[in-house]
Amino acid sequence: MDLEPAIVSASMSLLLQGRFLCTKVHKKWKVKQVTKSNFQESLRELKTHIPNSDFVAVSMVKTGSFSASWHRVLPFDTAETAYCKAKHSAERFQLLQFAVCPFSIAESNKLIANPYNFLLFPRDELKLGMPSYSFSCQTSYLTSMAREGFDFNACIYDGISYLSRVQEFKAKMQIGNYISNLNVNKSSSTSATADIVFVERIKSRIKHWIKCCEKGGKSTSTDDALLTSLRKIVMGSEMFGSRPCLTINVCSDRQVQLILEMLLNVHNVVPMLVPAKGNTTQAICLVLTTSKEDKDLFERERQKLEEEENKKLCGFREVIELISASQKPVLSYNCLDDCTFIHSKFIASLPPEVNEFICSFRSDFPQVIDVYHMVKKFGAMRNVTNITAALLYLKNHFLASVDVEIPDQGFHSATINEDKIDGLDSLRICYLFMKICSILKISPCVSESGNKHLAPELQDFTNIFHPWTTDSKELVDEDISIWANNTRKVNCEHVIFLWGVQFGMTASTLKNLLQESHDILPEEFDVKLVAKDCAIVVFWQPGLSKAFLNAVKSEQISGLLREFVSNGLRVASYDTYRTVCRLGLWEADLSESLDRAVEKSGREFSNIYCHTDNVINFDIL
């Protein structure tokens, strides 16, 4: 019996009912919409809400997710191939909305939430060429967003910009940000003769510069003003705002240290480092103040200016930094997808290996709970990926009351469309999380001793960076699933990919033909179609996959299998698929990507082994 139409029908029914549920939710829930105009106000509120919360739920709206069906993370993906797919998506597509919902849990299953929805757009605020993103857009995503009333004009013109940490560092180097508030201690090392000469020369230069500035300030005649201007040019004096400044170029960190030590005894002079590329210093800027009060005033002004510049550079990333600094557990509905986007856009470029990514991400966000894995605890919901459909299922099958309280967040200060409120998914995640905890009898409370102490049951859903893996320990294994609704595992070595012919048949028909094609194929193997002209064959007995590969490549091939091969049948091990993902061979058809991987590996094999003139034979040495 073919159950696929029934599953599709049930999914569509859940989706339509889920939309009705969304309409009812809109009337009760409000999410504060945040653009450039009210970003600073919302940031100040979040600085109170996040530290006082128990969890922080996040959700995102992107310009796309995958360009072909096989680009999505599938049950037969290992941790490595799944990460490669998520990495490709995060680097290719862009975030347009980022919803954040800090929430705390009160008695009697009461949820106190403070939801915000931030409209984002990567804009070059300081005209530095950063960020200069060139991102892809998936037409189905944009069509769906437009149908739901997404305001693209507001996103482009009023969306909040941002830089990642690495980009911000590069931007500061590019604009030559001064570094002030220096803590300098006198060096205990013995000064060389060259150091003494250098210090005396700089000290003399500073002394004459200060005298020149003081005389220039007291002069009133035109001639004195002209002479003062000429003297300033000769001395290299400039103005930093309304105060005189002197720039001293340096060649080494040792010279920087000597100048800063010398200035400890010079009053009313504020030193600031001018950074250069490579985390070095190219000069020291000295600003002359008139008194101790003026010096204190200048340092306050400079600190305020630095903070304003940093805000322009950081942008929305300040919200990410707040969540990271709080170390609160983060809720997501697709941990791998969301975390790769957060790392790519706000921290740094994604590392090549999945273990490096996990270590890097967990240093900022030590605990990420994937609510989707909690949903899969209910067997009938294993294939339900829609949040509202999951909520509706729980509502119809379980009695779990959860009260939601959303304190007034000054919604009048933001533009809100009463018929459509963006950013509801983060609030739905909170609500879904509380319902599941209630049904499964899981305590969602965080211990007072710190947010590292979650309930043991919640640890089972924490830091699982694979949507089809139920245990974080399985990320290091090479065992994979084949079907989403079957928990049986198989090692990658026992799986082969088969493509190159237009099957035009079901998996069961293909299995029967393969079984008739060669005596080596036993009854205990399975076939799953993963594309229109590509399938995977699963051998449950060790060694049969290699034997089948050898049979296909053998010169003594005969019978129906020979006919398959003559018609273009190609086979490859799981390592070829791993190569496709690792090298980023993201063709529209999986068969084309596998062909490219086979050709590439063949060229490398030829380059290594076929040029015998370049091979050293150790037997003749």
Side-chain angles (χ1 to χ4, degrees), residues 580-593:
V580 166
C581 299
R582 188 175 65 250
L583 297 182
L585 307 178
W586 306 110
E587 302 294 340
D589 294 329
L590 177 56
S591 58
E592 294 181 16
S593 296

Side-chain angles (χ1 to χ4, degrees), residues 71-87:
H71 291 177
R72 74 177 76 187
V73 179
L74 299 168
F76 57 82
D77 278 307
T78 63
E80 178 189 5
T81 58
Y83 172 68
C84 288
K85 291 181 175 183
K87 179 176 181 288

Side-chain angles (χ1 to χ4, degrees), residues 116-252:
Y116 294 81
N117 183 56
F118 296 86
L119 206 61
L120 306 182
F121 196 76
R123 189 181 301 99
D124 188 2
E125 297 282 1
L126 299 178
K127 310 301 179 185
L128 299 173
M130 288 188 294
S132 57
Y133 293 132
S134 175
F135 55 86
S136 298
C137 294
Q138 195 170 338
T139 54
S140 60
Y141 268 59
L142 298 187
T143 301
S144 177
M145 292 166 65
R147 187 182 299 116
E148 294 176 4
F150 183 83
D151 192 340
F152 290 96
N153 282 329
C155 177
I156 295 171
Y157 294 109
D158 298 323
I160 307 160
S161 187
Y162 55 86
L163 291 180
S164 69
R165 291 175 186 166
V166 172
Q167 289 172 331
E168 181 180 350
F169 178 78
K170 292 179 179 179
K172 286 182 177 180
M173 297 299 102
Q174 187 172 335
I175 65 177
N177 256 20
Y178 296 97
I179 303 176
S180 57
N181 300 327
L182 302 169
N183 296 319
V184 183
N185 297 319
K186 289 190 176 182
S187 175
S188 59
S189 60
T190 305
S191 298
T193 303
D195 292 344
I196 296 173
V197 173
F198 173 76
V199 170
E200 290 300 322
R201 179 168 60 84
I202 297 300
K203 185 185 295 183
S204 176
R205 181 180 174 186
I206 294 173
K207 181 178 179 181
H208 284 88
W209 167 64
I210 293 175
K211 286 184 178 180
C212 174
C213 293
E214 291 175 348
K215 289 180 180 179
K218 296 177 182 178
S219 302
T220 56
S221 66
T222 305
D223 293 338
D224 288 341
L226 178 59
L227 290 174
T228 300
S229 298
L230 292 173
R231 193 179 292 111
K232 287 182 179 180
I233 294 174
V234 173
M235 294 296 297
S237 181
E238 302 169 352
M239 298 297 292
F240 192 94
S242 60
R243 297 175 179 88
C245 70
L246 176 67
T247 301
I248 302 176
N249 295 320
V250 293
C251 301
S252 65

Side-chain angles (χ1 to χ4, degrees), residues 21 61 68 108 131 159 239 280 290 322 336 414 446 449 489 546 551 607 612:
L21 178 65
V61 173
S108 303
M239 298 297 292
T280 59
T290 58
L322 282 176
L336 179 64
V446 179
S449 58
K489 298 281 187 178
K546 291 183 179 179
N607 291 337
T612 55

